[in-house]
Amino acid sequence: MPLYVYRHYYAMALIKWSIYYTATLVFMIGGMIVGLIYIGASLKKKCPLPKIAFNTTDILVMLYGASVLITMVTCGHPQMAWAGTDGWYMGALAQLLFAATFLIMSRVKISTSKVIWLCLSASTICYLIGIAQRYGHDIFHFYYSMPAEVIRDYLSTIGNRTWYSGYISVLFPLGLYLFWQATGNKQKW
């Protein structure tokens, strides 16, 4: 995030949304292309395509997506409902992307432990940046023009201190649990 943000905290929500939106669309379009190539190769070889089975969670996520669409269409401001209110960008588009991301990722065979360790590695960087900023080290020069009382309200690449503390309260226990459950020094470090 700090490498992408060039105007400090100005329009941070828009920047976070654009990162998520762009990355999601790129991966979804890439996934669709790979899927079509796979389907084409399977049909050419006359191999049967795998059956897609939906479990209860999948059905509930699809019902959620349908309810988002119904709500958007029936509300008094469908354009605002589609995009979300200014500054938050959590409208129907975001909700449908969340649901689609879940449905796609639940089908992909990825090592859960690798994903967790990747997330924890990224969060470690955020923790360290937050700690450095708390002690007055402005690593990315976000705060050079801000007064000291404003700087105390912002931490790491997350934004304000309440977001940062929420982030820590969710990910730190997970990391600590994995550390305690790991066997051997290689897994712990």
Side-chain angles (χ1 to χ4, degrees):
M1 185 70 160
L3 302 176
Y4 188 83
V5 176
Y6 58 91
R7 296 173 67 188
H8 308 292
Y9 280 96
Y10 179 76
M12 183 69 82
L14 176 61
I15 292 166
K16 287 180 181 180
W17 166 247
S18 67
I19 290 171
Y20 173 77
Y21 177 75
T22 304
T24 302
L25 287 183
V26 165
F27 284 110
M28 282 188 182
I29 291 169
M32 283 190 253
I33 291 169
V34 169
L36 290 172
I37 291 170
Y38 174 77
I39 290 170
S42 295
L43 292 174
K44 189 175 182 180
K45 293 179 181 179
K46 297 186 179 172
C47 297
L49 294 172
K51 300 228 183 241
I52 298 174
F54 295 111
N55 60 27
T56 305
T57 306
D58 296 334
I59 293 168
L60 290 173
V61 169
M62 288 185 270
L63 288 172
Y64 173 74
S67 70
V68 166
L69 284 174
I70 291 168
T71 302
M72 183 202 72
V73 170
T74 58
C75 78
H77 305 282
Q79 290 83 10
M80 185 188 300
W82 175 252
T85 59
D86 288 339
W88 289 100
Y89 308 101
M90 289 292 116
L93 176 60
Q95 302 306 311
L96 293 172
L97 286 175
F98 297 152
T101 301
F102 169 80
L103 291 170
I104 291 168
M105 293 305 295
S106 67
R107 303 293 184 272
V108 176
K109 303 290 184 217
I110 299 174
S111 169
T112 306
S113 63
K114 289 179 182 175
V115 171
I116 290 173
W117 284 109
L118 178 67
C119 291
L120 291 174
S121 299
S123 72
T124 300
I125 293 168
C126 289
Y127 294 154
L128 294 175
I129 292 170
I131 292 167
Q133 287 177 348
R134 178 63 186 100
Y135 289 103
H137 302 287
D138 187 8
I139 297 170
F140 297 106
H141 305 288
F142 272 16
Y143 310 104
Y144 69 89
S145 63
M146 295 182 180
E149 61 273 4
V150 173
I151 294 173
R152 284 192 301 266
D153 289 338
Y154 292 96
L155 281 173
S156 186
T157 60
I158 303 297
N160 68 34
R161 58 186 167 195
T162 56
W163 291 352
Y164 184 74
S165 65
Y167 183 74
I168 288 175
S169 68
V170 170
L171 283 179
F172 183 74
L174 175 63
L176 195 59
Y177 169 79
L178 290 173
F179 181 77
W180 283 336
Q181 296 301 317
T183 56
N185 286 336
K186 186 176 179 184
Q187 284 185 327
K188 286 190 178 186
W189 303 108

